[in-house]
Amino acid sequence: MISATELQKLKEKYPVGTVVVVDRMDDIQAVPPGTAGEVKMVDDAGNIHVAWTTGSSLALLPDVDSFHIKG
């Protein structure tokens, strides 16, 4: 479980509209490395929900997946 402090930090670092790029996702339905997407929300579990340019909406798991803010 994520602490309230950690959750707040994630929400501040990845506000709605932030563009992120995946480096690696540990999921069978993962988007390809290099795919960009727009953050739609950070849920109460700390998962970062993204609208990917591929049409996928698979969430990023900060402790599992590797990604960065585009820029």
Side-chain angles (χ1 to χ4, degrees), residues 3-59:
S3 74
T5 301
E6 292 171 314
L7 182 58
Q8 185 59 36
K9 286 180 183 178
L10 279 175
K11 288 182 177 187
E12 289 172 4
K13 185 172 182 178
Y14 302 104
V16 172
T18 301
V19 177
V20 292
V21 178
V22 70
D23 300 316
R24 181 191 51 78
M25 288 181 88
D26 189 20
D27 192 294
I28 195 162
Q29 298 176 355
V31 296
T35 302
E38 183 179 324
V39 173
K40 293 301 178 187
M41 71 171 287
V42 177
D43 67 22
D44 290 340
N47 301 317
I48 303 168
H49 294 264
V50 179
W52 298 104
T53 55
T54 62
S56 174
S57 59
L58 190 64

